[in-house]
Amino acid sequence: SPIPPAKVEGMRIAADIIGFLDSNVEAEVLDRITEEDEVMGEQIRDLMFIFDNLLSLTDRHMQTLLQGVENDKLVVALKGASEEIKTKITTNMSSRAAEMLLEDLELKGPVRLSEVEDMQKEILQVAINLGADGTIALGGKGGDEYV
């Protein structure tokens, strides 16, 4: 059954608030929500992490992420991505790999939006897993700033 709009809005607000927390606290809050209501916990996680959040990765961390992502998945995910994220990704690949990726992207026919979103979520999950084990630093709205 569909989720009532008021509940969706409440989850969006919760996702925004949780996104401002320190990453350790954020993980704990999300884990507790998920313990109480697994579906709601996953929906809040989905609302918190969007593909364009990958722009906040350092180049080194983007390169680490890309090592864990298959090229065909990346092509589908980029079908619906901003030019900014495409540039961030291609500048963190070898020129040959970037050229091949852009060529594959150009040759790829229309893709269902749901497929694009699924691939973006898969790539985000790889990033979340790498962030959780400390391999990369995911900068969110409340990420660490350097001065």
Side-chain angles (χ1 to χ4, degrees):
S1 66
I3 301 167
K7 189 170 184 179
V8 171
E9 185 57 24
M11 287 189 291
R12 187 168 285 117
I13 291 167
D16 288 344
I17 292 169
I18 294 168
F20 281 103
L21 299 173
D22 176 71
S23 59
N24 297 337
V25 176
E26 177 183 295
E28 190 174 324
V29 168
L30 284 169
D31 288 348
R32 293 232 176 129
I33 291 170
T34 304
E35 282 172 21
E36 290 296 318
D37 186 330
E38 191 171 340
V39 173
M40 184 182 294
E42 288 307 310
Q43 289 169 334
I44 290 173
R45 279 181 211 271
D46 287 350
L47 289 168
M48 285 181 62
F49 300 106
I50 60 169
F51 202 61
D52 278 354
N53 286 143
L54 297 179
L55 289 169
S56 68
L57 292 177
T58 65
D59 288 347
R60 189 169 54 88
H61 289 168
M62 177 60 82
Q63 292 159 14
T64 301
L65 170 63
L66 293 173
Q67 291 171 2
V69 177
E70 296 166 33
N71 199 55
D72 57 329
K73 290 182 179 184
L74 195 53
V75 169
V76 173
L78 290 179
K79 277 301 254 188
S82 67
E83 285 306 313
E84 199 177 1
I85 193 81
K86 288 177 190 173
T87 301
K88 174 78 172 181
I89 287 171
T90 56
T91 57
N92 281 289
M93 306 173 95
S94 70
S95 55
R96 173 129 172 78
E99 197 176 299
M100 287 173 43
L101 177 73
L102 293 172
E103 192 174 298
D104 289 349
L105 193 55
E106 200 174 303
L107 294 173
K108 184 90 174 158
V111 179
R112 276 193 203 94
L113 181 59
S114 61
E115 283 183 64
V116 171
E117 289 171 345
D118 287 347
M119 284 305 115
Q120 288 181 352
K121 279 184 185 176
E122 257 189 62
I123 293 169
L124 282 171
Q125 193 56 56
V126 172
I128 290 165
N129 293 343
L130 289 169
D133 71 15
T135 304
I136 67 172
L138 290 176
K141 289 181 226 118
D144 290 341
E145 291 182 24
Y146 293 89
V147 291

